[in-house]
């Protein structure tokens, strides 16, 4: 039981350190310092994710979003997908996963995620950004154009 307690403490400590690094990145005024602090956040959050015995929607979502922000979209995908698996109503993970999918050309999959976000909350603040990225990548995508028309109503 003591080993489990130590393990749990390490997971919690790693998650807290990841949060601190994210806060420091938000406060950083220059790009290199921000990037360095985001990298620290990734290391700590990834450690907490890997060691965690109980899956955490928040942890997986944050880790995926930080990886995406660092232009590591392929690495972000499984964490964002896991967050959605753990909480089917998680809009932010869906938006970021859609953005990652757009980068690798999986436009139909990205649209399906954005359609679900629209169904959950048509006013989700991430939806217009992700949809604009999809339309830039696939300007003739009929489904994306249809979603844009519904979003603009």
């Amino acid at each position: 039981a003591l080993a489990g307690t130590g393990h749990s403490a390490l997971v919690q400590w790693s998650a807290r350190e990841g949060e601190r690094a994210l806060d420091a990145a938000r406060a950083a005024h220059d790009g290199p310092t921000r990037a360095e602090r985001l990298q620290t956040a990734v290391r700590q959050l990834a450690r907490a994710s890997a060691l965690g015995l109980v899956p955490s929607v928040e942890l997986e979502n944050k880790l995926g979003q930080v990886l995406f922000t660092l232009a590591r979209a392929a690495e972000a995908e499984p964490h964002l997908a896991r967050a959605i698996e753990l909480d089917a109503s998680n809009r932010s993970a869906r938006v970021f996963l859609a953005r990652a999918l757009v980068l690798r050309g999986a436009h139909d999959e990205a649209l399906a995620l954005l359609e679900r976000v629209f169904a959950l909350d048509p006013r989700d603040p991430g939806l217009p950004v992700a949809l604009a990225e999809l339309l830039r990548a696939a300007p003739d995508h009929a489904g994306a154009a249809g979603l844009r028309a519904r979003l603009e109503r």
Side-chain angles (χ1 to χ4, degrees), residues 58-79:
E58 183 180 358
L59 176 64
E60 295 300 329
N61 191 21
K62 281 183 186 170
L63 178 54
Q65 288 186 26
V66 174
L67 286 164
F68 181 86
T69 300
L70 289 169
R72 293 165 59 182
E75 292 174 70
E77 284 186 36
H79 296 286

Side-chain angles (χ1 to χ4, degrees), residues 72-93:
R72 293 165 59 182
E75 292 174 70
E77 284 186 36
H79 296 286
L80 295 166
R82 181 72 174 133
I84 295 165
E85 179 183 309
L86 294 168
D87 177 6
S89 66
N90 189 311
R91 297 186 325 266
S92 66

Side-chain angles (χ1 to χ4, degrees), residues 91 95 117 121-130:
R91 297 186 325 266
V95 166
V117 171
D121 181 2
R123 295 175 314 279
D124 184 279
L127 187 56
V129 172

Side-chain angles (χ1 to χ4, degrees), residues 108 111 115 131 134-135 140-150:
D108 292 339
L111 177 62
E115 289 280 3
L131 183 57
L134 174 56
L135 284 165
D140 298 327
H141 196 288
L147 178 57
R148 178 179 56 197
R150 284 182 288 147

